[in-house]
Amino acid sequence: MTLRGRLTSAFLAVVLGPVLLGSFFVGVAVTTVNADRAEERLDHAATTVRTAIGAVCRQLQATADAVAVLSAGDRAAAARQLVKRGLASEITDRTDPRWRDCARPAGGVDAISAASTAEDGTQVVAAQRLDAGFVDRLAASSGADVLLRAHDGAGAATVRGTQARGPGASPTGTVRRVAVGPGQPLPLAVSVPEDDPRGLYALMTMGVLAVAAGAVLVARWLARSTTRPLAELARAADRVAGGELDTRVPLTRDDELGRLAGAFNRMTRELQAYVQALTASRDQLRGHLAILGDTLSSTHDLHRILQVILRTALSATGARGGVVLLIDPKDGRLVARCTIGLSGRWAVPETELAGLRVPVGRGVLGAVAATGKPRRGVCGLGGEALDEPACRTYVAVPICPPPDPDESDLTPTPLGVLALYDRLGSDEFDDNDLATLGTFAGQAGVAVHNVRMHEEAQRLSLTDPLTGLWNYRCLRDSLRREVERANRFGRMLTVLVLDLDHFKEVNDTYGHAAGDAVLGEFARRLRIGLREVDAAFRQGGEEFVVLLPETDAYGGIIVAERLGAAIRDIPIPIDARRVDAATGRAVDRIPISVSIGIAVYPEHGADAKQVLEAADDALYAAKHAGRDTYRLAEVVSGRVQDGHFGQAGASPGGPQPPRQARGR
């Protein structure tokens, strides 16, 4: 059933129900009232008839008494006068058996009589015959139908008197017998007609039908006027659901339906504005994501990537400011990598961001980094006390690396934290902001992981895995750059080429594991003997190269002597134990020495290749000189200056180059 049908049915039920119920009660009430009125009229008629008969009996008695007091000669004339006056229908001195004495009711019912005895003993009887006229007069006085049984026993007849219907009409309605007794000797029955309610019932039925017809018409009109705006509203809602957000409902009423239409129009306007804002925000977010994608694909600059991610997160959530912190592997604390829109001690230049550190496990940022669980909430302006940015609201999520397929059951260790502060236009960040920031934190985690993997791959491609020193590929690039810089600034560059003496015998005698241990320890001592600006490379096998920027030949010789002594003075321990055939002792340390060739740019070569070749030639000269020594290249004269490693503080045996004012 439609809404219009339900409203019509409900209205009819509300209207016709009481009408029908009221009609039923009215009908019952009319019937009851009719019955009560009939009883009242019967009571009145019976009383009136009894009174009338009593009055007739008293009149007859008075008439008989009046005649009885007269002399015998005057009685006949007086009787005729009284009969003529209607005081009695007959006055005689004898009693008819069919008469009933008012004082002693008995005998027939042809008349009623009253007797009186004169002084001479004569009985005077005044009688009133019971004809139709008498009965009619009783009926007229009582206002009811009167029925009189004229005779008892066989051949009894009845005399009826009908006041309402006229002579000869049969009494109808409710009948009541009037008891026979002194003063009322007649066997009477009175009857009053009952009111016929059929006319009233017909009128009531017509009224109910009229009310029902009117109710149907009114119900249809009300239902239609009520459901028409709802139908228009439903059609408008269907159009809005189909994407027509500019749909409006006409406002033609001031009732609740009119207010509903107005609310619907406001809702569609706000929805249209919201969709437009979402579209603009989506386009803006697409632009930021495109920038983010281009940045991630085109650069491995971690600082730039984190800045783009932070700016995109701020734009997507509408936050005032934010910060990206990464865990420093050296001290295990969170270090700020980029900040936007912060105040106080967090508003520092990029060069000072490394000084903003937060211990893991302390405060909101530290807790997120320690547990790996995002957090959002409200904070006071006392965030500075916890070494965190001051704010009203915050949302912070961990920056985690992409999950490892081989360790899917393990929770990845956070790399850092991405936090935003004070969402503009809202009191607090919601779950949608938390999910959005989690997406950007995932991008940041992938970026950090990729950059670190790239750096690690680049390091592995440029370093020697055994010694940890730069490899030959890195040597060529570094030597070229250092030569170009020395040439640009008019500085010197010293190149040392080192080769372990008799290293093949170490491998043959003690095994390749011992040889690897010797190479690793040699590289460690080599790094210890150099400055931070110096660079050491493994050129291949047991041959190494050291670059000494801004160092002349004299400084190179000092470094060569120091490195030679560091290698020679302390034998290198090994894990493999071998018994010396000559001494019978177990060998756990291997003495080693190194030969070094020295060349200086620009004295020994005009470019990187010539300088490296000159140092290599000097190395071969040191080898031919007996090893465990160094040689300084001399390209100009075609000779190489010789020298040897002495004890600490001793000067080399060969001629020494002059000291330079620049370099070591």
Side-chain angles (χ1 to χ4, degrees), residues 23-168:
S23 300
F24 171 76
F25 282 113
V26 168
V28 173
V30 168
T31 303
T32 304
V33 168
N34 285 339
D36 292 342
R37 288 181 60 188
E39 289 294 329
E40 291 177 358
R41 292 174 63 186
L42 283 175
D43 291 340
H44 175 72
T47 302
T48 302
V49 168
R50 187 178 291 107
T51 303
I53 296 298
V56 171
C57 288
R58 287 192 298 273
Q59 179 180 326
L60 292 176
Q61 186 63 50
T63 301
D65 290 339
V67 173
V69 297
L70 297 177
S71 61
D74 295 331
R75 293 176 184 169
R80 287 192 299 270
Q81 288 293 328
L82 293 175
V83 171
K84 185 177 181 180
R85 292 182 180 182
L87 297 179
S89 60
E90 184 177 355
I91 300 176
T92 182
D93 56 356
R94 60 183 179 275
T95 301
D96 192 321
R98 291 172 298 177
W99 295 356
R100 286 198 174 181
D101 192 337
C102 290
R104 294 180 297 276
V109 195
D110 286 342
I112 56 175
S113 62
S116 178
T117 304
E119 291 181 356
D120 57 0
T122 304
Q123 186 176 19
V124 178
V125 179
Q128 177 65 51
R129 293 189 179 275
L130 303 180
D131 53 8
F134 176 78
V135 177
D136 287 339
R137 286 194 298 272
L138 285 179
S141 64
S142 63
D145 296 338
V146 178
L147 183 145
L148 171 63
R149 293 186 61 85
H151 302 283
D152 289 333
T158 60
V159 180
R160 294 181 177 89
T162 305
Q163 197 277 337
R165 303 175 186 272

Side-chain angles (χ1 to χ4, degrees), residues 488-545:
R488 184 183 308 114
F489 296 104
R491 303 295 178 88
M492 290 186 174
L493 172 67
T494 297
V495 179
L496 305 183
V497 178
L498 303 89
D499 187 85
L500 294 177
D501 298 328
H502 306 294
F503 183 73
K504 185 176 181 302
E505 296 179 2
V506 173
N507 283 333
D508 295 341
T509 303
Y510 302 102
H512 289 281
D516 293 343
V518 170
L519 291 175
E521 178 63 19
F522 174 77
R524 187 186 69 83
R525 297 181 186 181
L526 191 62
R527 284 192 295 268
I528 293 175
L530 299 177
R531 301 172 300 175
E532 291 185 2
V533 297
D534 300 335
F537 306 85
R538 183 183 181 188
Q539 190 172 4
E542 68 273 15
E543 190 170 321
F544 299 83
V545 176

Side-chain angles (χ1 to χ4, degrees), residues 314 317-322 341-343 377 379-381 389-395 420-429:
L314 291 174
T317 58
R320 171 185 59 83
L342 300 184
S343 60
C379 57
L381 297 177
C391 65
R392 291 182 297 102
T393 60
Y394 70 89
V395 56
L420 303 181
Y421 299 96
D422 298 340
R423 179 181 179 185
L424 301 178
S426 179
D427 295 334
E428 189 175 354
F429 293 95

Side-chain angles (χ1 to χ4, degrees), residues 554-626:
Y554 185 78
I557 290 174
I558 294 177
V559 174
E561 289 182 342
R562 184 169 65 246
L563 293 177
I567 300 301
R568 179 183 60 254
D569 293 347
I570 302 177
I572 297 176
I574 59 174
D575 292 336
R577 293 180 174 271
R578 185 180 180 87
V579 178
D580 191 341
T583 61
R585 296 179 180 178
V587 179
D588 57 357
R589 293 178 178 271
I590 301 176
I592 200 74
S593 62
V594 62
S595 300
I596 304 175
I598 306 172
V600 181
Y601 173 85
E603 296 179 3
H604 304 127
D607 56 23
K609 181 179 180 182
Q610 291 180 4
V611 173
L612 185 61
E613 289 178 351
D616 198 53
D617 292 340
L619 171 65
Y620 280 105
K623 289 284 188 181
H624 290 302

